[in-house]
Amino acid sequence: MNWAEAGFEVLGTKVLWTDLIGNVAALATVLLAIRKSIWTWPVQLVGSVLLLVASINAHITGNALKQVMFGALAVYGWWRWSRGTQGGQELAVRPATSRERFGLLGVMVAGTAAVGVIFFVAGLSWGSHAPLPEGYFLVAADAYIFVGSAVATWAQSRALVDFWLIWVAVDLVGVPVAFRSGLVVSGAVYGVFFVLVLVGFFNWLKEYRSRAVLVPKEAV
C-alpha cells in the first residue's frame, strides 16, 4: 500500500489520510477566508492536491477535476488578493452588483447543464455509471458542485460577499453526495462548511456595512 492509499478505520469505514488532511486544510481555508488572510490561497492549494489524490483513489473523476480547478483558482485568488493588499492595505470586500449576480447565476445554470452533458457522455462522473434515472440526478449533482465551486471560488477571489451564499447552495448538495460516494470525512466537513460559510457571510457583510458608513464621514 502506498502513501496515497494509507488510512485507518473508524466504525468499519476506511478513512484516507489524504482525505482527512486535505479536508483539514479545506476547513482552515474557510477560517482564513473569514479573516481575509492571504494564507487562505496557499492552504487551499495544498488541500486541493491532497483531495485530488483522495478523489482519484475513490474513482470520483468529477471531484478530482474539481480539485484541479480549485488549485488553478487558488493561484489566481492568491494573485488577486496580493494586488488588493499591496502597501499594507486591508482587503476591501463588497456585495456583487445586480449585473454580477445575474452573471453568476447564469454561469451556474448554463455551466451545470454543459458540464453535466460532458460528464455523462464522457463518463467522467461516478454517477454516469449508476442505473437510470438515478444516474441522471447524480451526474447533475456532480456537475452542479463542480460549477458552483468554481463560481464561488472566483467570486471569492474578487472579494465579493456573495461568494459565501454560493457556497451555501453548493453545500446543500455536496453533503449528501459526499456521503453517497463513501468519502465520510468529506461529507462531515461539508456539514461544518455549511455553518462556517454562514459565519463568514455575516462577518463580511457586517464589515462592508461598517466601512460604507465610515467612508462618507471620513470624506467630510
Side-chain angles (χ1 to χ4, degrees):
M1 180 176 63
N2 57 39
W3 67 271
E5 298 175 339
F8 56 94
E9 286 197 4
V10 176
L11 300 176
T13 300
K14 184 175 182 179
V15 177
L16 296 174
W17 281 111
T18 50
D19 188 30
L20 177 60
I21 299 175
N23 276 295
V24 169
L27 276 175
T29 296
V30 179
L31 293 172
L32 290 168
I34 292 175
R35 299 174 62 85
K36 299 187 306 177
S37 170
I38 192 69
W39 281 98
T40 187
W41 299 109
V43 171
Q44 177 175 312
L45 184 58
V46 172
S48 296
V49 172
L50 293 173
L51 292 175
L52 169 63
V53 175
S55 297
I56 291 175
N57 279 329
H59 306 293
I60 310 175
T61 309
N63 197 61
L65 290 174
K66 183 178 72 175
Q67 299 309 324
V68 173
M69 174 270 296
F70 270 147
L73 285 174
V75 174
Y76 174 70
W78 197 347
W79 173 71
R80 286 285 309 184
W81 281 27
S82 294
R83 290 184 60 191
T85 55
Q86 284 182 344
Q89 297 183 73
E90 186 175 357
L91 183 69
V93 302
R94 66 175 177 84
T97 63
S98 296
R99 183 176 180 178
E100 287 172 328
R101 286 172 181 163
F102 278 117
L104 293 172
L105 180 60
V107 172
M108 286 276 287
V109 174
T112 297
V115 172
V117 171
I118 294 173
F119 277 8
F120 187 80
V121 174
L124 295 177
S125 170
W126 61 283
S128 60
H129 305 295
L132 301 179
E134 180 188 20
Y136 291 134
F137 292 104
L138 293 177
V139 172
D142 212 1
Y144 171 79
I145 293 170
F146 181 90
V147 176
S149 298
V151 172
T153 307
W154 183 86
Q156 177 185 349
S157 71
R158 310 291 293 189
L160 300 180
V161 176
D162 305 63
F163 98 87
W164 294 106
L165 296 180
I166 300 174
W167 272 124
V168 169
V170 172
D171 288 345
L172 289 174
V173 176
V175 172
V177 169
F179 278 115
R180 174 70 169 74
S181 67
L183 293 180
V184 180
V185 175
S186 291
V189 169
Y190 264 123
V192 177
F193 277 162
F194 185 79
V195 176
L196 291 179
V197 294
L198 289 177
V199 173
F201 169 69
F202 287 113
N203 278 5
W204 276 35
L205 186 60
K206 179 180 179 181
E207 179 184 328
Y208 167 75
R209 288 175 174 172
S210 298
R211 193 176 71 251
V213 170
L214 290 174
V215 169
K217 292 181 179 179
E218 292 175 353
V220 174

